[in-house]
Coordinates of all heavy atoms in Angstrom, one line a residue:
A1 N 157.2 227.8 94.3 CA 156.3 228.7 94.9 C 156.7 230.2 94.6 O 155.8 231.0 94.3 CB 156.0 228.5 96.4
E2 N 158.0 230.4 94.7 CA 158.5 231.8 94.5 C 159.8 231.8 93.7 O 160.9 231.8 94.2 CB 158.8 232.4 95.9 CG 157.6 232.6 96.8 CD 157.9 233.2 98.1 OE1 159.0 233.8 98.2 OE2 157.1 233.0 99.1
P3 N 159.6 231.6 92.4 CA 160.8 231.5 91.5 C 161.6 232.8 91.5 O 161.0 233.9 91.7 CB 160.3 231.2 90.1 CG 158.8 231.7 90.2 CD 158.4 231.5 91.6
G4 N 162.9 232.7 91.4 CA 163.8 233.9 91.3 C 164.6 233.8 90.0 O 164.4 233.0 89.2
E5 N 165.5 234.8 89.9 CA 166.5 234.8 88.7 C 167.7 234.0 89.1 O 168.8 234.6 89.4 CB 166.8 236.2 88.3 CG 165.6 237.0 87.8 CD 165.9 238.3 87.3 OE1 167.1 238.6 87.2 OE2 165.0 239.1 86.9
D6 N 167.6 232.7 89.2 CA 168.7 231.9 89.6 C 168.6 230.5 89.0 O 167.6 230.2 88.3 CB 168.7 231.7 91.2 CG 167.4 231.2 91.7 OD1 167.0 230.1 91.4 OD2 166.7 232.0 92.4
V7 N 169.7 229.7 89.1 CA 169.8 228.5 88.4 C 168.8 227.4 88.9 O 168.2 226.7 88.1 CB 171.2 227.9 88.5 CG1 171.3 226.5 87.9 CG2 172.2 228.8 87.7
V8 N 168.6 227.4 90.2 CA 167.6 226.4 90.7 C 166.2 226.7 90.2 O 165.4 225.8 89.8 CB 167.6 226.3 92.3 CG1 166.5 225.4 92.8 CG2 169.0 225.8 92.8
S9 N 165.8 227.9 90.1 CA 164.5 228.3 89.5 C 164.5 227.9 88.1 O 163.4 227.4 87.6 CB 164.3 229.8 89.7 OG 164.2 230.2 91.0
D10 N 165.6 228.0 87.4 CA 165.7 227.6 86.0 C 165.5 226.1 85.8 O 164.8 225.6 84.9 CB 167.0 228.0 85.3 CG 167.2 229.5 85.2 OD1 166.2 230.2 85.3 OD2 168.3 230.0 85.0
L11 N 166.1 225.3 86.8 CA 165.9 223.9 86.7 C 164.5 223.5 87.0 O 164.0 222.5 86.4 CB 166.9 223.2 87.7 CG 168.4 223.4 87.4 CD1 169.2 222.7 88.6 CD2 168.7 222.7 86.1
V12 N 163.8 224.2 87.9 CA 162.4 223.9 88.3 C 161.6 224.2 87.0 O 160.7 223.4 86.7 CB 162.0 224.7 89.5 CG1 160.5 224.7 89.6 CG2 162.7 224.2 90.7
A13 N 161.8 225.3 86.4 CA 161.1 225.6 85.1 C 161.3 224.6 84.1 O 160.4 224.2 83.3 CB 161.5 227.0 84.6
A14 N 162.6 224.1 83.9 CA 162.9 223.1 82.9 C 162.1 221.8 83.2 O 161.7 221.0 82.3 CB 164.4 222.8 82.9
Q15 N 162.0 221.5 84.5 CA 161.2 220.3 84.9 C 159.8 220.3 84.4 O 159.2 219.3 84.0 CB 161.2 220.1 86.4 CG 162.0 218.9 86.9 CD 161.8 218.7 88.4 OE1 161.6 219.6 89.2 NE2 161.9 217.4 88.8
R16 N 159.2 221.5 84.6 CA 157.8 221.7 84.1 C 157.6 221.4 82.6 O 156.6 220.9 82.2 CB 157.3 223.1 84.5 CG 157.0 223.3 86.0 CD 156.1 224.5 86.2 NE 156.8 225.7 85.7 CZ 157.6 226.5 86.4 NH1 157.8 226.2 87.7 NH2 158.1 227.6 85.9
E17 N 158.6 221.8 81.9 CA 158.6 221.7 80.4 C 159.0 220.3 79.9 O 158.6 219.9 78.8 CB 159.5 222.8 79.8 CG 159.1 224.2 80.1 CD 160.1 225.2 79.6 OE1 161.1 224.8 79.0 OE2 159.9 226.4 79.9
D18 N 159.7 219.6 80.8 CA 160.2 218.3 80.3 C 159.9 217.2 81.4 O 160.7 217.1 82.4 CB 161.7 218.4 80.1 CG 162.3 217.1 79.6 OD1 161.6 216.1 79.4 OD2 163.5 217.0 79.3
P19 N 158.8 216.5 81.3 CA 158.5 215.5 82.3 C 159.5 214.4 82.5 O 159.5 213.8 83.6 CB 157.1 214.9 81.8 CG 156.6 216.0 80.9 CD 157.8 216.6 80.2
S20 N 160.4 214.2 81.5 CA 161.4 213.2 81.7 C 162.5 213.6 82.6 O 163.4 212.8 82.9 CB 161.9 212.8 80.3 OG 162.7 213.8 79.7
F21 N 162.6 214.9 82.9 CA 163.6 215.4 83.8 C 163.1 215.2 85.2 O 162.4 216.0 85.8 CB 163.8 216.9 83.5 CG 165.0 217.6 84.2 CD1 166.0 216.8 84.7 CD2 165.0 219.0 84.4 CE1 167.1 217.5 85.4 CE2 166.0 219.6 85.1 CZ 167.0 218.8 85.6
T22 N 163.6 214.1 85.8 CA 163.0 213.6 87.1 C 163.5 214.5 88.2 O 164.5 215.2 88.2 CB 163.4 212.2 87.3 OG1 164.8 212.1 87.5 CG2 163.0 211.3 86.1
E23 N 162.8 214.3 89.3 CA 163.2 215.0 90.6 C 164.5 214.6 91.1 O 165.3 215.3 91.5 CB 162.1 214.7 91.7 CG 162.3 215.5 93.0 CD 162.0 217.0 92.9 OE1 161.5 217.4 91.8 OE2 162.2 217.7 93.8
D24 N 164.8 213.3 90.9 CA 166.1 212.7 91.4 C 167.2 213.3 90.5 O 168.3 213.8 91.1 CB 166.1 211.2 91.2 CG 167.4 210.6 91.7 OD1 167.8 210.7 92.9 OD2 168.2 210.1 90.8
E25 N 167.0 213.4 89.2 CA 168.0 214.0 88.4 C 168.3 215.5 88.7 O 169.4 216.0 88.8 CB 167.6 213.9 86.9 CG 167.7 212.6 86.3 CD 167.3 212.6 84.8 OE1 166.1 213.0 84.6 OE2 168.1 212.2 84.0
M26 N 167.2 216.2 88.9 CA 167.3 217.6 89.2 C 168.0 217.9 90.5 O 168.9 218.8 90.6 CB 165.9 218.3 89.2 CG 165.9 219.8 89.3 SD 165.9 220.4 91.0 CE 164.2 220.0 91.5
T27 N 167.6 217.2 91.6 CA 168.2 217.4 92.9 C 169.7 217.0 92.9 O 170.5 217.7 93.5 CB 167.5 216.7 94.0 OG1 167.4 215.3 93.7 CG2 166.1 217.3 94.2
R28 N 170.0 215.9 92.2 CA 171.4 215.5 92.2 C 172.3 216.5 91.4 O 173.4 216.8 91.7 CB 171.6 214.1 91.5 CG 171.2 213.0 92.5 CD 171.3 211.6 91.8 NE 171.1 210.6 92.8 CZ 172.0 210.0 93.5 NH1 173.3 210.4 93.3 NH2 171.8 209.0 94.3
L29 N 171.7 217.0 90.3 CA 172.4 218.0 89.5 C 172.6 219.3 90.3 O 173.7 219.9 90.3 CB 171.6 218.3 88.2 CG 172.1 219.4 87.3 CD1 173.5 219.2 86.9 CD2 171.2 219.6 86.1
A30 N 171.6 219.8 91.0 CA 171.7 221.0 91.8 C 172.7 220.8 92.9 O 173.5 221.7 93.2 CB 170.3 221.4 92.3
A31 N 172.7 219.7 93.6 CA 173.6 219.4 94.6 C 175.0 219.4 94.1 O 176.0 219.9 94.7 CB 173.3 218.1 95.4
G32 N 175.2 218.7 92.9 CA 176.5 218.7 92.3 C 177.1 220.1 92.0 O 178.3 220.3 92.1
L33 N 176.2 220.9 91.5 CA 176.6 222.3 91.1 C 177.0 223.1 92.4 O 178.0 223.8 92.3 CB 175.4 223.0 90.4 CG 175.1 222.6 89.0 CD1 173.8 223.3 88.6 CD2 176.2 223.0 88.1
L34 N 176.3 222.9 93.5 CA 176.6 223.6 94.7 C 177.9 223.1 95.3 O 178.8 223.9 95.7 CB 175.5 223.5 95.7 CG 175.7 224.2 97.0 CD1 175.9 225.7 96.8 CD2 174.4 224.0 97.9
F35 N 178.1 221.8 95.2 CA 179.4 221.2 95.7 C 180.6 221.6 94.9 O 181.5 222.2 95.4 CB 179.3 219.7 95.7 CG 180.6 219.0 96.0 CD1 181.0 218.8 97.3 CD2 181.4 218.5 95.0 CE1 182.2 218.2 97.7 CE2 182.6 217.9 95.3 CZ 183.0 217.7 96.6
A36 N 180.5 221.4 93.5 CA 181.6 221.7 92.7 C 181.8 223.2 92.5 O 182.9 223.7 92.3 CB 181.4 221.1 91.3
G37 N 180.7 224.0 92.7 CA 180.8 225.4 92.4 C 181.6 226.2 93.5 O 181.9 227.3 93.3
H38 N 181.8 225.5 94.6 CA 182.6 226.2 95.6 C 183.8 225.4 96.1 O 184.9 226.0 96.3 CB 181.8 226.6 96.9 CG 181.5 225.5 97.8 ND1 180.6 224.6 97.7 CD2 182.1 225.2 99.0 CE1 180.6 223.7 98.7 NE2 181.5 224.1 99.5
E39 N 183.7 224.1 96.2 CA 184.8 223.3 96.8 C 186.1 223.4 96.0 O 187.2 223.7 96.6 CB 184.4 221.9 96.9 CG 185.3 220.9 97.6 CD 185.5 221.2 99.0 OE1 184.5 221.6 99.7 OE2 186.6 221.1 99.5
T40 N 186.1 223.3 94.7 CA 187.3 223.3 93.9 C 187.9 224.7 93.8 O 189.1 224.9 93.8 CB 187.1 222.7 92.5 OG1 186.0 223.4 91.9 CG2 186.7 221.2 92.5
T41 N 187.0 225.7 93.7 CA 187.5 227.1 93.6 C 188.2 227.5 95.0 O 189.2 228.2 94.9 CB 186.4 228.1 93.3 OG1 185.7 227.6 92.1 CG2 186.9 229.4 93.0
V42 N 187.6 227.1 96.1 CA 188.3 227.4 97.4 C 189.7 226.8 97.4 O 190.6 227.5 97.7 CB 187.5 226.7 98.5 CG1 188.3 226.7 99.8 CG2 186.1 227.3 98.7
N43 N 189.9 225.6 96.9 CA 191.2 225.0 96.9 C 192.1 225.7 95.9 O 193.3 225.8 96.1 CB 191.1 223.5 96.6 CG 190.5 222.7 97.7 OD1 190.5 223.1 98.9 ND2 189.9 221.6 97.4
Q44 N 191.5 226.1 94.8 CA 192.4 226.7 93.8 C 192.9 228.1 94.2 O 194.1 228.4 94.0 CB 191.6 226.9 92.5 CG 192.4 227.4 91.3 CD 193.5 226.5 90.9 OE1 193.2 225.4 90.4 NE2 194.7 226.8 91.1

């Protein structure tokens, strides 16, 4: 509804362009990025 200049907005846009990019794939990918994007760096 309100895209921004961020990765999740980019993934939503990619979904519109590629019907084979499923909702399950997108949400799992986004969740994995959020998890890995902070957890390992915190420990490092």
Side-chain angles (χ1 to χ4, degrees):
E2 299 180 18
E5 294 185 7
D6 54 68
V7 173
V8 174
S9 295
D10 292 345
L11 293 177
V12 167
Q15 248 191 328
R16 287 196 300 267
E17 297 172 4
D18 182 0
S20 68
F21 186 23
T22 68
E23 185 74 5
D24 181 64
E25 287 180 303
M26 189 272 288
T27 55
R28 284 179 173 270
L29 175 56
L33 288 171
L34 184 53
F35 172 83
H38 80 279
E39 185 67 35
T40 53
T41 309
V42 169
N43 289 337
Q44 188 62 66

